[in-house]
């Protein structure tokens, strides 16, 4: 099989991969943490690693949503993904 330059990724392809790399890395870290947790559900460090991986991925997703929302019509920004205040929950 012979490869040509047409088989190579373009600059736009590489830029798209580079832009998505933080999410790819966060998802990979989450899978690693899930594997550790499944291997030993009682491991406190595995639980902590899983919580951090989930938090990092959620934070990244919120950042992306906020960035994408900034390019669209005005909307409420998602910034606080912690527990709701008692007054807000009522």
């Amino acid at each position: 099989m012979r490869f040509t330059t047409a088989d190579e990724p373009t600059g736009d392809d590489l830029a798209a991969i580079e832009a998505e790399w933080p999410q790819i890395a966060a998802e990979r870290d989450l899978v690693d943490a899930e594997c550790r947790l499944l291997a030993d559900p009682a491991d406190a460090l595995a639980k902590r690693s899983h919580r951090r991986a989930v938090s990092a991925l959620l934070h990244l997703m919120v950042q992306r949503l906020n960035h994408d929302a900034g390019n669209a019509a005005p909307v409420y920004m998602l910034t606080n993904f912690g527990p709701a205040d008692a007054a807000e929950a009522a």
Side-chain angles (χ1 to χ4, degrees):
M1 178 177 240
R2 198 170 171 129
F3 292 100
T4 65
T5 56
D7 297 325
E8 296 293 321
T10 64
D12 290 341
D13 293 337
L14 293 173
I17 292 168
E18 185 71 26
E20 287 192 31
W21 192 252
Q23 183 169 348
I24 293 168
E27 289 171 348
R28 182 197 60 217
D29 292 345
L30 179 59
V31 171
D32 288 345
E34 287 173 343
C35 290
R36 284 184 60 196
L37 193 57
L38 286 171
D40 187 3
D43 183 5
L45 290 176
K47 290 177 185 179
R48 181 177 171 189
S49 175
H50 184 261
R51 280 194 312 269
R52 285 184 174 200
V54 168
S55 178
L57 183 58
L58 287 174
H59 181 71
L60 185 65
M61 292 171 76
V62 167
Q63 283 181 325
R64 178 162 284 167
L65 283 172
N66 285 339
H67 179 267
D68 292 346
N71 298 329
V75 295
Y76 290 104
M77 301 297 257
L78 299 173
T79 56
N80 182 8
F81 40 86
D85 292 334
E88 292 176 350

Coordinates of all heavy atoms in Angstrom, one line a residue:
M1 N 0.8 -1.2 0.0 CA 0.0 0.0 0.0 C 0.9 1.2 0.0 O 1.8 1.3 0.8 CB -0.9 0.0 1.2 CG -1.8 1.2 1.3 SD -2.9 1.0 2.8 CE -4.4 1.1 1.9
R2 N 0.5 2.2 -0.8 CA 1.3 3.4 -0.9 C 0.6 4.6 -0.4 O -0.6 4.8 -0.7 CB 1.6 3.6 -2.4 CG 2.7 4.5 -2.6 CD 3.2 4.5 -4.1 NE 4.1 5.6 -4.1 CZ 5.3 5.5 -4.6 NH1 5.7 4.4 -5.2 NH2 6.1 6.5 -4.6
F3 N 1.2 5.3 0.5 CA 0.6 6.5 1.1 C 1.0 7.8 0.3 O 2.2 7.9 -0.1 CB 1.0 6.7 2.5 CG 0.4 5.6 3.4 CD1 1.2 4.5 3.8 CD2 -0.9 5.6 3.8 CE1 0.6 3.5 4.5 CE2 -1.5 4.6 4.6 CZ -0.7 3.5 4.9
T4 N 0.1 8.7 0.2 CA 0.4 10.0 -0.4 C 0.1 11.1 0.6 O -0.4 10.8 1.7 CB -0.5 10.2 -1.7 OG1 -1.9 10.3 -1.3 CG2 -0.3 9.1 -2.7
T5 N 0.4 12.3 0.2 CA 0.1 13.4 1.1 C -1.4 13.6 1.3 O -1.8 14.2 2.3 CB 0.7 14.7 0.6 OG1 0.3 15.0 -0.7 CG2 2.2 14.6 0.6
A6 N -2.2 13.1 0.4 CA -3.7 13.2 0.5 C -4.1 12.3 1.7 O -5.2 12.6 2.3 CB -4.3 12.7 -0.7
D7 N -3.3 11.3 2.1 CA -3.7 10.5 3.3 C -3.3 11.1 4.6 O -3.8 10.7 5.6 CB -2.9 9.1 3.2 CG -3.3 8.3 1.9 OD1 -4.5 8.4 1.5 OD2 -2.4 7.7 1.4
E8 N -2.5 12.2 4.6 CA -2.1 12.8 5.8 C -3.2 13.8 6.3 O -4.0 14.3 5.5 CB -0.8 13.6 5.5 CG 0.3 12.8 5.2 CD 0.8 11.9 6.3 OE1 0.8 12.4 7.5 OE2 1.2 10.8 6.1
P9 N -3.3 14.0 7.6 CA -4.3 15.0 8.1 C -3.9 16.4 7.7 O -2.7 16.7 7.6 CB -4.2 14.8 9.6 CG -2.9 14.1 9.9 CD -2.6 13.4 8.7
T10 N -4.9 17.2 7.4 CA -4.7 18.6 7.0 C -4.4 19.4 8.3 O -4.6 18.9 9.4 CB -5.9 19.1 6.3 OG1 -7.0 19.2 7.2 CG2 -6.3 18.3 5.1
G11 N -4.0 20.6 8.0 CA -3.8 21.6 9.2 C -5.1 21.8 9.9 O -5.1 21.8 11.2
D12 N -6.2 21.8 9.2 CA -7.5 21.9 9.9 C -7.8 20.7 10.8 O -8.4 20.8 11.9 CB -8.6 22.2 8.9 CG -8.6 23.6 8.3 OD1 -7.9 24.4 8.8 OD2 -9.2 23.7 7.2
D13 N -7.5 19.5 10.2 CA -7.7 18.3 11.0 C -6.9 18.3 12.3 O -7.4 18.0 13.4 CB -7.3 17.1 10.2 CG -8.3 16.8 9.0 OD1 -9.4 17.3 9.0 OD2 -7.8 16.2 8.0
L14 N -5.6 18.7 12.2 CA -4.8 18.7 13.3 C -5.2 19.8 14.3 O -5.2 19.5 15.5 CB -3.3 19.0 12.9 CG -2.7 17.9 12.1 CD1 -1.3 18.3 11.6 CD2 -2.6 16.6 12.9
A15 N -5.7 20.9 13.8 CA -6.2 21.9 14.7 C -7.5 21.4 15.5 O -7.6 21.7 16.7 CB -6.5 23.2 14.0
A16 N -8.3 20.7 14.8 CA -9.5 20.2 15.5 C -9.1 19.2 16.5 O -9.7 19.2 17.6 CB -10.4 19.5 14.4
I17 N -8.2 18.3 16.2 CA -7.7 17.3 17.2 C -7.1 18.1 18.4 O -7.4 17.7 19.6 CB -6.7 16.4 16.6 CG1 -7.4 15.5 15.6 CG2 -6.0 15.5 17.7 CD1 -6.4 14.7 14.7
E18 N -6.3 19.1 18.2 CA -5.7 19.9 19.2 C -6.7 20.5 20.1 O -6.6 20.6 21.3 CB -4.7 20.9 18.6 CG -3.9 21.7 19.7 CD -2.9 20.9 20.3 OE1 -2.4 19.9 19.8 OE2 -2.5 21.2 21.5
A19 N -7.8 21.1 19.5 CA -8.8 21.7 20.2 C -9.6 20.8 21.1 O -10.1 21.1 22.2 CB -9.8 22.4 19.3
E20 N -9.7 19.5 20.7 CA -10.5 18.5 21.5 C -9.6 17.7 22.4 O -10.1 17.0 23.2 CB -11.2 17.5 20.5 CG -12.4 18.2 19.8 CD -13.2 17.1 19.1 OE1 -13.3 16.0 19.6 OE2 -13.8 17.5 18.1
W21 N -8.3 18.0 22.4 CA -7.4 17.2 23.2 C -7.7 17.3 24.7 O -7.6 16.2 25.4 CB -5.9 17.5 22.9 CG -5.1 16.5 23.6 CD1 -4.3 16.7 24.7 CD2 -5.0 15.1 23.2 NE1 -3.7 15.5 25.0 CE2 -4.1 14.5 24.1 CE3 -5.5 14.3 22.2 CZ2 -3.7 13.2 24.1 CZ3 -5.2 13.0 22.2 CH2 -4.3 12.4 23.1
P22 N -8.0 18.4 25.3 CA -8.3 18.5 26.7 C -9.5 17.5 27.1 O -9.4 16.9 28.1 CB -8.6 19.9 27.0 CG -7.9 20.7 25.9 CD -8.0 19.8 24.7
Q23 N -10.5 17.5 26.3 CA -11.6 16.6 26.6 C -11.2 15.1 26.4 O -11.6 14.3 27.2 CB -12.8 16.9 25.7 CG -14.0 16.0 26.0 CD -15.3 16.5 25.4 OE1 -15.4 17.6 24.8 NE2 -16.3 15.6 25.5
I24 N -10.4 14.8 25.4 CA -10.0 13.5 25.2 C -9.1 13.0 26.4 O -9.3 11.9 27.0 CB -9.1 13.4 23.9 CG1 -10.0 13.6 22.7 CG2 -8.4 12.0 23.8 CD1 -9.2 13.8 21.4
A25 N -8.3 13.9 26.9 CA -7.4 13.5 28.1 C -8.3 13.4 29.3 O -8.1 12.4 30.1 CB -6.4 14.6 28.3
A26 N -9.3 14.2 29.5 CA -10.1 14.1 30.7 C -11.0 12.8 30.6 O -11.1 12.2 31.7 CB -11.1 15.4 30.8
E27 N -11.5 12.5 29.5 CA -12.2 11.2 29.4 C -11.3 10.0 29.6 O -11.7 9.0 30.2 CB -12.9 11.2 28.0 CG -14.0 12.2 27.9 CD -14.6 12.3 26.4 OE1 -13.9 11.7 25.5 OE2 -15.7 12.8 26.3
R28 N -10.1 10.1 29.1 CA -9.1 9.0 29.3 C -8.8 8.9 30.8 O -8.8 7.7 31.4 CB -7.8 9.3 28.6 CG -6.8 8.1 28.7 CD -5.4 8.6 28.4 NE -5.0 9.7 29.2 CZ -4.4 10.8 28.8 NH1 -3.9 10.9 27.6 NH2 -4.0 11.7 29.7
D29 N -8.7 10.0 31.5 CA -8.4 10.0 33.0 C -9.6 9.4 33.7 O -9.5 8.6 34.7 CB -8.1 11.4 33.5 CG -6.8 11.9 33.0 OD1 -6.0 11.1 32.5 OD2 -6.6 13.1 33.1
L30 N -10.8 9.7 33.3 CA -12.0 9.1 33.9 C -12.1 7.6 33.7 O -12.4 6.9 34.6 CB -13.3 9.8 33.3 CG -14.6 9.2 33.9 CD1 -14.7 9.4 35.4 CD2 -15.8 9.9 33.2
V31 N -11.8 7.1 32.5 CA -11.8 5.7 32.3 C -10.7 5.0 33.2 O -11.0 4.0 33.8 CB -11.5 5.4 30.8 CG1 -11.3 3.9 30.6 CG2 -12.7 5.8 30.0
D32 N -9.5 5.6 33.3 CA -8.5 5.1 34.2 C -9.0 5.0 35.6 O -8.8 4.0 36.3 CB -7.2 5.9 34.1 CG -6.5 5.7 32.8 OD1 -6.8 4.8 32.0 OD2 -5.6 6.6 32.5
A33 N -9.6 6.1 36.1 CA -10.1 6.1 37.4 C -11.2 5.1 37.6 O -11.3 4.4 38.7 CB -10.6 7.5 37.8
E34 N -12.1 4.9 36.6 CA -13.2 3.9 36.8 C -12.6 2.5 36.8 O -13.1 1.6 37.6 CB -14.1 4.0 35.6 CG -15.0 5.2 35.6 CD -15.8 5.4 34.4 OE1 -15.5 4.8 33.3 OE2 -16.8 6.2 34.5
C35 N -11.5 2.2 36.1 CA -10.9 0.9 36.1 C -10.3 0.7 37.5 O -10.4 -0.4 38.1 CB -9.8 0.8 35.1 SG -10.4 0.8 33.4
R36 N -9.6 1.7 38.1 CA -9.0 1.5 39.4 C -10.1 1.3 40.4 O -10.0 0.5 41.3 CB -8.3 2.8 39.8 CG -6.9 2.9 39.2 CD -6.2 4.2 39.7 NE -6.0 4.1 41.1 CZ -5.6 5.1 41.8 NH1 -5.5 6.3 41.3 NH2 -5.5 5.0 43.1
L37 N -11.3 2.0 40.3 CA -12.4 1.8 41.2 C -13.0 0.5 41.1 O -13.4 -0.2 42.1 CB -13.4 2.9 41.0 CG -14.5 3.1 42.1 CD1 -13.8 3.4 43.4 CD2 -15.4 4.3 41.7
L38 N -13.1 0.0 39.9 CA -13.7 -1.4 39.7 C -12.8 -2.5 40.2 O -13.2 -3.5 40.7 CB -14.0 -1.6 38.2 CG -15.2 -0.9 37.7 CD1 -15.3 -1.0 36.2 CD2 -16.5 -1.4 38.3
A39 N -11.5 -2.2 40.1 CA -10.5 -3.2 40.6 C -10.6 -3.3 42.1 O -10.4 -4.4 42.7 CB -9.1 -2.8 40.1
D40 N -10.8 -2.2 42.8 CA -10.9 -2.3 44.3 C -11.8 -1.2 44.7 O -11.4 -0.1 45.0 CB -9.5 -2.0 44.9 CG -9.5 -2.2 46.4 OD1 -10.5 -2.6 47.0 OD2 -8.4 -2.0 47.0
P41 N -13.1 -1.5 44.8 CA -14.1 -0.5 45.2 C -13.9 0.1 46.6 O -14.4 1.2 46.9 CB -15.5 -1.3 45.2 CG -15.2 -2.5 44.3 CD -13.7 -2.8 44.5
A42 N -13.2 -0.6 47.5 CA -13.0 -0.1 48.8 C -11.8 0.9 48.9 O -11.5 1.5 50.0 CB -12.8 -1.2 49.8
D43 N -11.0 1.0 47.8 CA -9.8 1.8 47.8 C -10.2 3.3 47.9 O -10.8 3.8 47.0 CB -9.0 1.5 46.6 CG -7.7 2.3 46.5 OD1 -7.3 3.0 47.5 OD2 -7.0 2.2 45.5
A44 N -9.8 3.9 49.0 CA -10.1 5.4 49.2 C -9.4 6.2 48.1 O -10.0 7.2 47.6 CB -9.7 5.8 50.6
L45 N -8.2 5.9 47.7 CA -7.5 6.7 46.7 C -8.2 6.5 45.3 O -8.3 7.5 44.6 CB -6.1 6.3 46.6 CG -5.2 6.7 47.8 CD1 -3.8 6.2 47.6 CD2 -5.2 8.2 48.0
A46 N -8.7 5.4 45.0 CA -9.4 5.1 43.8 C -10.7 6.0 43.8 O -11.1 6.6 42.7 CB -9.7 3.7 43.6
K47 N -11.4 6.0 44.9 CA -12.6 6.8 45.0 C -12.3 8.3 44.8 O -13.0 9.0 44.1 CB -13.3 6.6 46.4 CG -13.9 5.2 46.5 CD -14.5 5.1 47.9 CE -15.0 3.7 48.2 NZ -15.5 3.5 49.5
R48 N -11.3 8.7 45.4 CA -10.9 10.2 45.3 C -10.5 10.5 43.9 O -10.9 11.5 43.3 CB -9.7 10.4 46.2 CG -9.2 11.8 46.2 CD -8.2 12.0 47.2 NE -7.5 13.3 47.1 CZ -6.4 13.7 47.7 NH1 -5.9 12.9 48.6 NH2 -5.9 14.9 47.5
S49 N -9.7 9.6 43.3 CA -9.3 9.7 41.9 C -10.5 9.8 40.9 O -10.6 10.6 40.0 CB -8.4 8.6 41.5 OG -8.0 8.7 40.1
H50 N -11.5 9.0 41.2 CA -12.7 9.0 40.4 C -13.5 10.3 40.5 O -13.9 10.9 39.6 CB -13.6 7.8 40.7 CG -14.8 7.6 39.9 ND1 -16.0 8.1 40.3 CD2 -14.9 7.2 38.6 CE1 -16.9 7.9 39.3 NE2 -16.2 7.3 38.3
R51 N -13.6 10.7 41.8 CA -14.3 12.0 42.0 C -13.6 13.2 41.3 O -14.3 14.0 40.7 CB -14.4 12.3 43.5 CG -15.5 11.6 44.2 CD -15.8 12.1 45.6 NE -14.6 12.3 46.4 CZ -14.1 11.4 47.2 NH1 -14.6 10.3 47.4 NH2 -13.0 11.7 47.9
R52 N -12.3 13.2 41.4 CA -11.5 14.2 40.7 C -11.7 14.2 39.2 O -11.8 15.2 38.5 CB -10.1 14.2 41.1 CG -9.8 14.7 42.5 CD -8.4 14.7 42.8 NE -8.1 15.3 44.1 CZ -7.0 15.8 44.5 NH1 -5.9 15.7 43.7 NH2 -6.9 16.3 45.7
A53 N -11.7 13.0 38.6 CA -11.8 12.8 37.2 C -13.2 13.3 36.7 O -13.3 13.9 35.7 CB -11.5 11.4 36.8
V54 N -14.2 12.9 37.5 CA -15.6 13.3 37.1 C -15.7 14.8 37.2 O -16.2 15.5 36.3 CB -16.6 12.6 38.0 CG1 -18.0 13.3 37.9 CG2 -16.7 11.1 37.7
S55 N -15.1 15.4 38.3 CA -15.2 16.8 38.5 C -14.5 17.6 37.3 O -14.9 18.6 36.8 CB -14.6 17.2 39.8 OG -14.6 18.6 40.0
A56 N -13.3 17.1 37.0 CA -12.5 17.7 35.9 C -13.2 17.7 34.6 O -13.2 18.7 33.8 CB -11.1 17.1 35.8
L57 N -13.8 16.5 34.3 CA -14.6 16.4 33.0 C -15.8 17.3 33.0 O -16.1 18.0 32.0 CB -15.0 15.0 32.8 CG -15.7 14.7 31.4 CD1 -14.8 15.1 30.2 CD2 -16.0 13.2 31.3
L58 N -16.5 17.4 34.1 CA -17.7 18.2 34.2 C -17.3 19.7 34.1 O -17.9 20.5 33.4 CB -18.4 18.0 35.5 CG -19.2 16.7 35.6 CD1 -19.8 16.6 37.0 CD2 -20.3 16.7 34.5
H59 N -16.2 20.1 34.7 CA -15.7 21.4 34.6 C -15.3 21.8 33.2 O -15.7 22.9 32.7 CB -14.5 21.6 35.5 CG -13.9 23.0 35.6 ND1 -14.6 24.1 36.2 CD2 -12.8 23.5 35.0 CE1 -13.8 25.2 36.0 NE2 -12.8 24.8 35.3
L60 N -14.7 20.9 32.5 CA -14.3 21.1 31.1 C -15.6 21.3 30.2 O -15.6 22.1 29.4 CB -13.4 20.0 30.6 CG -12.9 20.1 29.2 CD1 -11.9 21.3 29.2 CD2 -12.2 18.8 28.8
M61 N -16.6 20.4 30.5 CA -17.8 20.5 29.7 C -18.5 21.8 30.0 O -19.1 22.4 29.0 CB -18.7 19.3 30.0 CG -18.1 18.0 29.6 SD -19.0 16.5 30.2 CE -20.4 16.6 29.1
V62 N -18.5 22.3 31.2 CA -19.2 23.5 31.5 C -18.5 24.7 30.8 O -19.1 25.6 30.3 CB -19.3 23.8 33.0 CG1 -19.6 25.2 33.4 CG2 -20.3 22.8 33.7
Q63 N -17.1 24.7 30.8 CA -16.4 25.7 30.1 C -16.7 25.7 28.6 O -16.9 26.8 28.1 CB -14.9 25.4 30.3 CG -14.3 25.8 31.6 CD -12.8 25.6 31.7 OE1 -12.3 24.6 31.1 NE2 -12.1 26.4 32.4
R64 N -16.8 24.5 28.0 CA -17.1 24.5 26.6 C -18.5 25.0 26.4 O -18.7 25.7 25.4 CB -17.0 23.0 26.1 CG -17.3 22.9 24.6 CD -16.8 21.7 24.0 NE -15.4 21.9 23.8 CZ -14.6 20.9 23.5 NH1 -15.0 19.7 23.4 NH2 -13.3 21.1 23.3
L65 N -19.5 24.6 27.2 CA -20.8 25.1 27.1 C -20.9 26.6 27.2 O -21.6 27.3 26.4 CB -21.8 24.5 28.1 CG -22.2 23.1 27.8 CD1 -23.0 22.5 29.0 CD2 -23.1 23.0 26.6
N66 N -20.2 27.2 28.2 CA -20.1 28.6 28.3 C -19.5 29.3 27.1 O -19.9 30.4 26.7 CB -19.4 29.0 29.6 CG -20.2 28.7 30.9 OD1 -21.4 28.6 30.8 ND2 -19.5 28.6 32.0
H67 N -18.4 28.7 26.6 CA -17.7 29.3 25.5 C -18.7 29.3 24.2 O -18.8 30.3 23.5 CB -16.5 28.5 25.2 CG -15.7 29.1 24.0 ND1 -15.9 28.5 22.7 CD2 -14.8 30.1 23.8 CE1 -15.2 29.2 21.8 NE2 -14.5 30.1 22.5
D68 N -19.3 28.1 24.0 CA -20.2 28.0 22.9 C -21.4 28.9 23.0 O -21.9 29.5 22.1 CB -20.7 26.6 22.7 CG -19.6 25.6 22.3 OD1 -18.5 26.1 21.8 OD2 -19.8 24.4 22.4
A69 N -21.9 29.1 24.3 CA -23.0 30.0 24.5 C -22.7 31.4 24.3 O -23.5 32.2 23.9 CB -23.5 29.8 26.0
G70 N -21.4 31.8 24.5 CA -21.0 33.1 24.2 C -21.1 33.5 22.8 O -21.1 34.7 22.4
N71 N -21.1 32.5 21.9 CA -21.1 32.8 20.5 C -22.6 32.7 19.9 O -22.8 32.8 18.7 CB -20.3 31.7 19.7 CG -18.8 31.8 20.1 OD1 -18.3 32.9 20.4 ND2 -18.1 30.7 20.1
A72 N -23.5 32.5 20.8 CA -24.9 32.4 20.4 C -25.7 33.5 21.0 O -25.2 34.5 21.5 CB -25.5 31.0 20.8
A73 N -27.0 33.4 21.0 CA -27.9 34.3 21.6 C -27.6 34.3 23.1 O -27.2 33.3 23.7 CB -29.3 34.0 21.4
P74 N -27.9 35.4 23.8 CA -27.7 35.5 25.3 C -28.4 34.4 26.0 O -29.6 34.2 25.8 CB -28.2 36.9 25.7 CG -28.2 37.7 24.4 CD -28.4 36.7 23.3
V75 N -27.7 33.7 26.9 CA -28.3 32.7 27.7 C -27.7 32.8 29.1 O -26.7 33.5 29.3 CB -28.1 31.3 27.2 CG1 -28.7 31.1 25.8 CG2 -26.6 31.0 27.0
Y76 N -28.3 32.1 30.1 CA -27.7 32.0 31.4 C -26.4 31.1 31.3 O -26.4 30.1 30.7 CB -28.7 31.4 32.4 CG -29.8 32.3 32.7 CD1 -31.1 32.0 32.2 CD2 -29.7 33.4 33.5 CE1 -32.1 32.9 32.4 CE2 -30.7 34.2 33.8 CZ -32.0 34.0 33.2 OH -33.0 34.8 33.5
M77 N -25.4 31.6 32.0 CA -24.1 30.9 32.0 C -24.1 29.8 33.1 O -24.6 30.1 34.2 CB -23.0 31.8 32.2 CG -22.9 32.9 31.1 SD -22.6 32.2 29.5 CE -20.9 32.5 29.3
L78 N -23.6 28.7 32.8 CA -23.5 27.6 33.9 C -22.1 27.8 34.5 O -21.1 27.6 33.9 CB -23.5 26.2 33.2 CG -24.8 25.9 32.5 CD1 -24.6 24.6 31.7 CD2 -26.0 25.8 33.4
T79 N -22.2 28.2 35.8 CA -20.9 28.4 36.5 C -20.8 27.7 37.8 O -19.7 27.3 38.2 CB -20.6 29.9 36.7 OG1 -21.7 30.4 37.5 CG2 -20.5 30.7 35.4
N80 N -22.0 27.5 38.4 CA -21.9 26.9 39.8 C -22.6 25.5 39.7 O -23.7 25.3 39.6 CB -22.7 27.7 40.8 CG -22.7 27.2 42.2 OD1 -21.9 26.2 42.4 ND2 -23.4 27.7 43.1
F81 N -21.7 24.4 39.7 CA -22.3 23.1 39.6 C -22.2 22.4 41.0 O -22.1 21.2 41.1 CB -21.6 22.3 38.5 CG -20.1 22.5 38.4 CD1 -19.2 21.8 39.2 CD2 -19.6 23.3 37.5 CE1 -17.9 21.9 39.0 CE2 -18.3 23.5 37.3 CZ -17.4 22.8 38.1
G82 N -22.2 23.2 42.1 CA -22.2 22.7 43.4 C -23.6 22.5 43.9 O -24.6 22.7 43.1
P83 N -23.8 22.1 45.1 CA -25.2 21.9 45.6 C -26.0 23.3 45.7 O -25.4 24.3 45.9 CB -25.0 21.4 47.0 CG -23.6 21.7 47.4 CD -22.8 21.8 46.1
A84 N -27.2 23.2 45.5 CA -28.1 24.4 45.5 C -28.2 24.9 46.9 O -28.1 24.2 47.9 CB -29.5 24.1 44.9
D85 N -28.4 26.2 47.0 CA -28.7 26.8 48.3 C -30.1 26.4 48.7 O -30.9 26.1 47.9 CB -28.6 28.4 48.2 CG -27.2 28.9 47.9 OD1 -26.3 28.2 48.3 OD2 -27.1 30.0 47.3
A86 N -30.3 26.4 50.1 CA -31.6 26.0 50.6 C -32.7 26.9 50.0 O -33.8 26.4 49.7 CB -31.6 26.1 52.1
A87 N -32.4 28.2 49.9 CA -33.5 29.1 49.3 C -33.8 28.7 47.9 O -34.9 28.9 47.4 CB -33.0 30.5 49.4
E88 N -32.8 28.3 47.1 CA -33.0 28.0 45.7 C -33.7 26.6 45.5 O -34.4 26.4 44.6 CB -31.6 27.9 45.0 CG -30.9 29.2 44.8 CD -29.6 29.1 44.2 OE1 -29.1 27.9 44.0 OE2 -29.0 30.1 43.8
A89 N -33.5 25.7 46.5 CA -34.1 24.4 46.4 C -35.6 24.4 46.7 O -36.3 23.6 46.3 CB -33.4 23.4 47.3
A90 N -36.0 25.4 47.5 CA -37.4 25.5 47.9 C -38.3 25.9 46.8 O -38.0 26.4 45.8 CB -37.6 26.5 49.0

